[in-house]
Amino acid sequence: IDEASMVSDEIDKNTSFAKFGSGDLLGDILSYDTKGKFIFVGDPCQLPPINQANSPALSASHISAKYKLQTSEFEMTDIIRQANTNGIIQASFKLRNLFHTNPNVKFADLPVKGHSNIFIENSHAGMLNRYIEKVKTFSFNHSTLICQTNKHCSDLNKIIRSSLQNNRERICEGDLLMVTQNNYLTNLVNGD
């Protein structure tokens, strides 16, 4: 099971999204085939499930204690698909080290300056202008903008769309759309 860092074992009673199974995804998976073997693959440095501090599916001790199952745990550390000289990869190693060492500091200093492929902007306007120019020059396939919240994403999308589409507010031919909630009637899922 890939991307297992997001597999929860706590039922969220306050969610506005559809609930699948019992709402305890990890428990449902493990009870699906009680004699089966499961391999959970994921990155513990990625987001844990909503309202959980850690990723339960990636913790052998948690699965062993809560579900009384025999477990083994392994960590892969070599990156194969990207060159170690890639600035984003180098910065990610530094961030991962901070995650593991958890330094006692009041304000974090992200170690991303001075790496290739990473650009630091001092303002939203500068960041948006750089992103829009990259999209115009290289298309959406070579530019990525990551937002903290869906609202922030929506707000920035309106500004970017206005700049790229000459202030057209309606969907038009050539637009890229992203599905933000699963819709199984149309076979569209979150992230498509």
Side-chain angles (χ1 to χ4, degrees):
I1 298 172
D2 197 12
E3 299 297 344
S5 66
M6 289 295 297
V7 174
S8 175
D9 69 346
E10 289 185 9
I11 299 172
D12 184 1
K13 295 178 177 73
N14 298 319
T15 186
S16 61
F17 295 103
K19 181 174 85 172
F20 299 98
S22 72
D24 170 3
L25 182 56
L26 181 57
D28 288 348
I29 290 168
L30 296 174
S31 65
Y32 175 75
D33 182 359
T34 57
K35 296 188 188 311
K37 292 184 180 183
F38 298 93
I39 299 174
F40 295 102
V41 179
D43 186 344
C45 290
Q46 288 184 339
L47 289 174
I50 294 171
N51 297 326
Q52 291 191 262
N54 298 302
S55 302
L58 297 180
S59 171
S61 60
H62 177 80
I63 292 173
S64 180
K66 183 171 181 177
Y67 299 99
K68 309 297 184 228
L69 296 171
Q70 182 181 355
T71 61
S72 297
E73 190 171 72
F74 302 93
E75 181 179 1
M76 294 186 283
T77 57
D78 292 338
I79 294 177
I80 305 298
R81 293 185 294 183
Q82 300 288 331
N84 284 341
T85 56
N86 180 309
I88 295 170
I89 298 300
Q90 291 174 343
S92 74
F93 284 138
K94 290 179 180 178
L95 289 170
R96 182 174 293 277
N97 185 47
L98 287 175
F99 175 82
H100 290 301
T101 59
N102 196 16
N104 186 14
V105 294
K106 186 172 182 176
F107 297 105
D109 182 27
L110 296 177
V112 296
K113 292 180 182 174
H115 292 286
S116 62
N117 308 90
I118 298 176
F119 302 96
I120 307 294
E121 292 290 342
N122 294 325
S123 69
H124 275 94
M127 174 201 57
L128 282 173
N129 288 334
R130 180 186 290 269
Y131 178 77
I132 289 166
E133 287 307 312
K134 292 284 184 187
V135 169
K136 286 179 178 177
T137 305
F138 301 108
S139 82
F140 287 103
N141 295 332
H142 294 82
S143 304
T144 303
L145 182 63
I146 301 171
C147 299
Q148 183 175 2
T149 65
N150 286 340
K151 177 165 181 4
H152 192 217
C153 183
S154 178
D155 293 343
L156 293 179
N157 188 49
K158 287 176 185 172
I159 296 168
I160 293 165
R161 182 176 172 71
S162 174
S163 175
L164 294 175
Q165 300 291 344
N166 298 320
N167 294 316
R168 290 185 286 189
E169 291 186 18
R170 300 189 69 135
I171 295 173
C172 54
E173 186 176 328
D175 280 352
L176 294 175
L177 304 177
M178 177 178 278
V179 178
T180 59
Q181 189 169 358
N182 294 339
N183 184 324
Y184 295 107
L185 296 174
T186 60
N187 200 27
L188 296 172
V189 296
N190 190 8
D192 284 352

